[in-house]
DNA sequence: CGTGGTGTTGAAGGAAATCAAGCCCGGTGG
DNA sequence: CCACCGGGCTTGATTTCCTTCAACACCACG
């Protein structure tokens, strides 16, 4: 029930609200790495909430270039707003084994109708996601590859910490460098050089399974990380 | 009442809903160009809807670099979701004289509580905005300066067309090249060279007051513009 | 009639892409 | 068992795109 917990972190939910929310959760499912949860161009399948593991959103251009939008960690939602659209404009792929819950959109609508506070809270969590997108825009437009990389790593560490991912998994970002290149909008070769440099400086560490942070304070400093952008400064005001 | 009209384009609103929405609109105000409607770091002032003119959102880094997130055209909303946050993480500045309406958030909340359909519609319009941000990420990450510029121009032409801006204004994007540089994430000099090239090719035209499109089909083609991303394919499904 | 913001263009330097080659490692099949 | 293969990682050399620096023209404005 990460979904209920996540919203509960924003607003103090009553027991009634918790119970009502829980009735929206349908089946839970576990899928292996490299599974497509949503397919660009297809009809939007449904609404989901990630409960365990890593995934990411990507968008393909006609000539094969791809851009990775963001990563999804436990507590993140898929398709709450986007489900309004006829077709998905992006693909969601799992990077590890992932457990997720299907949410019944109609039921959710009913629940919200009964509790505007819940609606506002949901709205809030969408706004938070938008904030992450905006920060990505800033990174792509203004930060150097090095700064962008550092910023991304700190952001993920932060989000994962709040998302209730088990400590062991949270320490390690399970990405290939090719994937990372398409997040940062740079070539795989340059991604590699940037990573190697950060490793030489001792702020990160690489292994076969991914990237681990060694010196988060320095990463924050070199990326000019703004504590405020994940908006820990409060949820909706009632 | 562009606000009501805009939402009305997504969903068939009843007269009651229209009237209820209209009661949320407080004062209307007209401000000159270069006015700050929202200030990064300040408390979020309120919620607004743009009714006439051009503005943009920007975010400043500590060292002075700035990134422009997106442009705001008539019908666009400011601060509906973001007002939940304690502090604004960006600044909004007008580029022309702008007329906007203040929306009473509390009143809006009440109205939504009385009509979940309205809430969903508002939610939908937020999702649409997010879609524009995602496209900006794709452009920054994957497209060349030339492609990005072409894509931006077509996107704005399209949005402005749907936003009910007067034909005369809609034809002209009132930007300085320095501003455009901070949208595209490139230097002013390179922005200039990119523009000059497009002018030489005869697809756009510049004047003291801004940029005008001459050959939209070619711009679409060179930017691989995807008709679908502004999601004309339908609003919320009831 | 200066003055500052904007636009324009050339020249030089730097960041990142591309091209190319070799490595490690896990999987697969002879 | 090991040869082979493919995917990801690493590094050097070269090229391309974009930045930076610099100079000047233009024009709106005080």
């Amino acid at each position: 029930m990460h979904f209920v917990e996540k919203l509960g972190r924003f607003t103090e939910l009553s027991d009634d609200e918790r119970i009502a929310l829980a009735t929206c959760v349908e089946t839970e499912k576990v899928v292996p790495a490299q599974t497509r949860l949503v397919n660009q161009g297809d009809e939007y399948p449904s609404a989901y909430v990630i409960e365990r593991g890593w995934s990411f959103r990507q968008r393909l251009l006609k000539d094969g270039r791809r851009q990775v939008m963001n990563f999804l960690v436990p507590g993140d939602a898929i398709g709450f707003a986007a489900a309004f659209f006829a077709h998905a404009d992006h693909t969601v792929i799992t990077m590890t084994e992932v457990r997720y819950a299907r949410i019944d959109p109609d039921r959710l609508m009913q629940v919200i109708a009964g509790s505007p506070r819940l609606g506002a809270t949901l709205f809030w969590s969408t706004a938070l996601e938008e904030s992450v997108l905006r920060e990505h825009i800033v990174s792509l437009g203004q930060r150097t590859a090095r700064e962008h990389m550092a910023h991304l790593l700190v952001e993920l560490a932060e989000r994962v910490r709040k998302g209730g991912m088990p400590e062991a998994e949270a320490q390690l970002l399970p990405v290939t460098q090719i994937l990372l290149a398409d997040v940062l909008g740079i070539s795989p070769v340059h991604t590699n050089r940037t990573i190697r440099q950060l490793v030489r400086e001792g702020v990160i560490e690489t292994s076969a399974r991914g990237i681990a942070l060694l010196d988060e304070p320095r990463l924050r400093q070199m990326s000019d990380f703004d504590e405020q952008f994940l908006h820990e400064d409060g949820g909706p005001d009632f």
Side-chain angles (χ1 to χ4, degrees), chain A:
Chain A
M1 295 299 164
H2 278 83
F3 172 44
V4 179
E5 281 164 33
K6 183 184 179 185
L7 293 183
R9 273 202 306 283
F10 300 152
T11 313
E12 209 54 54
L13 297 179
S14 71
D15 286 348
D16 282 357
E17 285 169 330
R18 285 173 193 283
I19 291 167
L21 261 184
T23 64
C24 299
V25 176
E26 290 185 334
T27 52
E28 300 195 338
K29 242 181 128 176
V30 177
V31 294
Q34 313 304 332
T35 306
R36 286 165 176 258
L37 298 182
V38 176
N39 245 312
Q40 184 173 332
D42 286 4
E43 232 173 279
Y44 227 96
S46 177
Y48 306 125
V49 171
I50 304 288
E51 303 197 320
R52 185 161 47 75
W54 291 86
S55 352
F56 64 94
R57 274 183 228 272
Q58 69 173 29
R59 185 136 145 30
L60 285 179
L61 270 58
K62 287 189 192 118
D63 63 5
R65 284 177 285 181
R66 78 163 171 181
Q67 176 65 41
V68 173
M69 301 299 176
N70 56 6
F71 291 103
L72 299 171
V73 299
D76 285 343
I78 304 180
F80 275 53
F84 287 136
F85 301 141
H87 298 282
D89 66 352
H90 60 266
T91 299
V92 176
I93 302 180
T94 61
M95 293 144 69
T96 62
E97 182 176 283
V98 162
R99 191 179 72 216
Y100 65 90
R102 213 188 92 91
I103 303 294
D104 180 346
D106 299 329
R107 179 82 193 106
L108 184 64
M109 201 67 137
Q110 288 171 23
V111 169
I112 287 174
S115 164
R117 279 179 77 234
L118 272 183
T121 302
L122 203 56
F123 199 46
W124 191 88
S125 89
T126 304
L128 195 61
E129 200 182 318
E130 206 178 296
S131 172
V132 173
L133 289 183
R134 278 204 298 269
E135 194 65 30
H136 197 178
I137 290 178
V138 172
S139 287
L140 283 165
Q142 300 302 321
R143 296 196 234 263
T144 63
R146 182 190 156 77
E147 292 170 334
H148 193 169
M149 175 87 74
H151 195 277
L152 176 72
L153 293 175
V154 175
E155 175 207 314
L156 288 173
E158 194 89 19
R159 281 176 57 205
V160 144
R161 219 173 277 145
K162 321 257 165 198
M165 193 178 271
E167 193 68 15
E169 287 176 64
Q171 295 305 322
L172 193 93
L173 178 61
V175 285
T176 66
Q177 296 187 359
I178 297 178
L179 177 61
L180 210 41
D182 286 337
V183 178
L184 304 180
I186 60 178
S187 72
V189 174
H190 192 57
T191 302
N192 179 282
R193 291 198 223 273
T194 305
I195 288 176
R196 300 275 84 231
Q197 198 196 339
L198 291 176
V199 168
R200 271 197 301 279
E201 294 175 38
V203 294
I204 65 173
E205 187 179 59
T206 63
S207 70
R209 288 171 310 131
I211 297 179
L213 309 202
L214 293 182
D215 190 346
E216 197 177 315
R218 279 210 57 205
L219 286 168
R220 279 172 185 270
Q221 181 212 324
M222 69 173 66
S223 65
D224 187 24
F225 191 86
D226 182 354
E227 304 292 335
Q228 288 212 155
F229 102 86
L230 290 174
H231 293 285
E232 278 106 46
D233 53 357
D237 179 26
F238 294 110

